[in-house]
Amino acid sequence: MKRACLAFFAAACVALLTLPSAPALAQGQNSKPKTQEELEQEIDELQRRLEILTTEVRKVKEAQTVPEKVDLKSQYGMGPAASKVYSKERGLSLGGYGEFNFKKEVADGDGNDVFDFVRFVGYVGYKFTDKLLFNTEIELEHASTDKAGSVSLEFGYLDYAMHPKVSLRGGLLLIPVGFINELHEPVTYHGNQRPEVERLIIPTTWRANGAGIYGELMPGLTYRTYAVTSMRAEGFRSGNIRGGRQKGSEALANDWSFVGRLDYNPTPGLTFGGSAYMGDQGQDQELYDRAAADPNDPDDPGAPIGTADAFMQMYEGHVQWHFRGLEFRALGVVSLLEDSRQLSLNASQPIAKRMVGWYTELAYNVLPLMLPGTGQYLAPWARYSVYDTQDKVPNGFDPRLNDNRSSVEVGIDYKPIPQVVLKLDYRNETAERGSRPDLVRIGGGFVF
C-alpha cells in the first residue's frame, strides 16, 4: 500500500513539473514570441512548483521515519519504547529513554546532596522480515565513564516469530523475573528509584546470554522461558547478589540456569503471574577461606576450600490491576541458595541461605476528576516494602541486622504527555539495627 501511494505521489510530482503553464499553452496557440516579462513569469511559476515539490518530498520522508502520533505499547515482554521494532514493517527502528533526579537526605543522614543524570538509553532494532528481527539496548549510566558511569549492552537478541504460540529468542536476554527487570523505562513505574525489592533481591537490571522460547498459549496467557548462563556466586554479598551478574561479558558458561515466566490477563487491566529461576551458580570457581589468609601477604587468598555448586532457586509472584484511574501492584519473592557457608567464607561476610522480600503499591490518577477528557496524568502514590537479604544465614555466621529493612515511600508523578514524566517522592526506611536516612527525590524521565 505504501509503495502504491509513493508511486502515485511520484507520478503526480512529475506531472506537476512537466504540466505546461498558461503562458506556454498560449504560445502554442499563436506564433508571437515570448516577451521578457512572460519568460520571467514562467521561471517564477517553475520555482513555485519546485518549492511545492520539495516540501511534499520532505513530508513523505518524515512520515516514513517520524510518525505524527507516537503510540508506545509493551510487546513480548519488552518495554514500550523497546517494543517499537515489532510494529515496523521492515527496516531500522530507533527509540530510547532517559532519567535524572536530585536526591537529598533530610533525616538521620549526613550525606551530600546529589543531582545525577542516572542513565540515557538508546534502542536500535532492525526488522529483516515479517518474522525475523534484531533488538538491542545500549545504556550510558551516570552521564560519564570517568567516575561511576559505564556504557553497557543491556540486551541484544534475535527474535524469530515462528508462530503466535512458539517463537524463538536468543542472545543477551533480560531475565523475566518481576515487574521492573524487563519493563524498566521511567514512565512504567512510580518514583525516581526502582523498588528496593527489585534492586536487591531481584538484581535489576539482570541479563544473561542464552536462548529460549516465548509466546501466547491462549488469549491472555503468555509465557517466556530461557536457558541462560548462570551467575558467578563468588560475587554475592550480604546486602544483595548484584555482584554475581555476568552481564554477557565473556560470561563463564560452566553452569547454566533455567528461567520461566507465566502471565495471565483474564480481563483488561488485570494481570497476575509468576516466575522461577534455578540452577548452579558456582561456575567451577575456586573458593578460599579468607580468614586464614596471611595479613602480611596481600597476595595470599587464604586456605583453599574447593568449589561450590551454589544451587540457587528464586520464586516470584506478582499481580497488577488498573481500573479507571486506580493502579495497584503487589510482588513477593524468595531466593534460596545452597553452599552458602563456603561462599560466606570466601566473601568474609554472611551470604544468605534465604532472602525474602515483598511490596505493595497503590496509585490513583486524579487529573480526569478535575479535567474530564484530559490526556494528562497526575497520580499520587504510596508503596510499602519489606526486604531481608539476611533472612537465614549459614551456621557459624550471624545475620547482619541492618540488612533486614522496611520502607514507606510516597510521591506524585505527572505526565504532560504519556512519553514524559516528572516525579517527586519521599522515602522513610527503617532497619532492625542502625538508622537509615530519609530521602527526598525530585526528577524526571522520558521515552521515545
Side-chain angles (χ1 to χ4, degrees), residues 143-328:
S144 173
T145 57
D146 291 342
K147 297 181 181 179
S150 65
V151 177
S152 302
L153 188 68
E154 292 287 296
F155 64 74
Y157 62 84
L158 281 169
D159 261 10
Y160 181 65
M162 292 194 310
H163 187 277
K165 292 185 178 180
V166 182
S167 293
L168 304 180
R169 177 173 290 170
L172 180 59
L173 309 176
L174 294 175
I175 305 300
V177 176
F179 289 117
I180 304 296
N181 202 57
E182 293 178 301
L183 276 69
H184 47 253
E185 295 166 4
V187 298
T188 63
Y189 65 90
H190 293 294
N192 286 282
Q193 181 171 284
R194 299 163 181 176
E196 291 291 87
V197 174
E198 298 203 64
R199 291 181 62 249
L200 304 178
I201 300 177
I202 303 172
T204 303
T205 302
W206 184 9
R207 67 269 196 196
N209 294 326
I213 59 176
Y214 68 91
E216 186 172 23
L217 297 174
M218 54 180 280
L221 182 62
T222 61
Y223 75 95
R224 293 181 291 287
T225 179
Y226 310 138
V228 296
T229 53
S230 295
M231 305 175 82
R232 291 182 64 165
E234 63 175 344
F236 293 174
R237 293 296 180 262
S238 63
N240 56 67
I241 60 173
R242 298 174 61 83
R245 298 173 301 168
Q246 298 205 73
K247 304 179 183 180
S249 176
E250 296 186 346
L252 294 178
N254 299 315
D255 289 323
W256 289 70
S257 294
F258 161 85
V259 60
R261 178 188 180 110
L262 277 175
D263 285 293
Y264 185 48
N265 178 218
T267 186
L270 176 63
T271 301
F272 59 88
S275 59
Y277 173 95
M278 59 187 67
D280 290 342
Q281 313 298 307
Q283 295 292 1
D284 295 340
Q285 297 302 288
E286 185 70 37
L287 302 177
Y288 299 87
D289 183 354
R290 304 292 179 179
D294 182 353
N296 298 316
D297 183 0
D299 296 324
D300 183 9
I305 53 176
T307 62
D309 291 335
F311 182 73
M312 189 176 90
Q313 305 169 71
M314 182 179 289
Y315 302 102
E316 171 269 329
H318 55 266
V319 61
Q320 179 172 265
W321 183 42
H322 289 179
F323 179 72
R324 297 181 181 175
L326 180 68
E327 302 173 16
F328 171 77

